[in-house]
């Protein structure tokens, strides 16, 4: 069985560490980690991913802009948006940008 390859893009060190540990507990998972859009695009150019987990607010771009750039490389990869956003218009905009799902921070592991 081929491992599932994930791209995690999160600039906050605490959130990134938490998510990396949580994702590492999944069987047969390879995690590529980026702290900004530039690193995310470099990873996406180098390897194909099965799922993208993208922060909505990055130091160099917005989540929906990064998603559009990633989609130009790989059009069909599902994307999960990580956000603390509560504004309904902003949430609607993230959904309209093409995120498969939104995960609201702070995240917990059941």
């Amino acid at each position: 069985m081929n491992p599932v390859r994930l791209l995690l893009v999160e600039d906050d060190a605490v959130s990134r560490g938490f998510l990396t540990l949580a994702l590492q507990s999944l069987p047969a998972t390879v995690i590529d980690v980026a702290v900004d859009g530039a690193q995310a695009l470099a990873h996406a150019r180098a390897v194909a991913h099965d799922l993208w987990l993208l922060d909505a607010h990055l130091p160099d771009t917005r989540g929906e802009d990064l998603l559009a750039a990633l989609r130009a490389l790989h059009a069909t990869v599902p994307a999960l948006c990580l956000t603390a956003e509560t504004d309904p218009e902003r949430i609607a905009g993230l959904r309209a940008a093409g995120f498969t799902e939104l995960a609201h921070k702070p995240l917990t592991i059941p």
Side-chain angles (χ1 to χ4, degrees):
M1 177 172 92
N2 290 334
V4 174
R5 187 167 209 122
L6 308 177
L7 174 60
L8 170 63
V9 186
E10 173 61 66
D11 63 314
D12 179 73
V14 173
S15 295
R16 188 173 57 250
F18 171 81
L19 289 165
T20 299
L21 285 174
L23 293 169
Q24 286 173 339
S25 71
L26 300 173
T29 302
V30 175
I31 306 159
D32 294 318
V33 179
V35 299
D36 59 25
Q39 284 184 357
L41 288 169
H43 280 296
R45 286 184 188 107
V47 296
H49 295 95
D50 299 298
L51 175 67
W52 297 320
L53 297 99
L54 311 178
D55 188 0
H57 301 283
L58 295 163
D60 62 347
T61 191
R62 297 176 346 143
E64 55 266 52
D65 297 331
L66 176 57
L67 179 59
L70 289 168
R71 288 264 187 254
L73 298 172
H74 306 283
T76 61
V77 176
L80 175 72
C81 181
L82 307 169
T83 185
E85 189 62 62
T86 58
D87 177 53
E89 287 183 31
R90 178 80 170 113
I91 290 170
L94 291 166
R95 290 191 187 280
F99 284 101
T100 307
E101 283 294 332
L102 274 67
H104 294 277
K105 297 177 188 179
L107 301 172
T108 59
I109 298 175

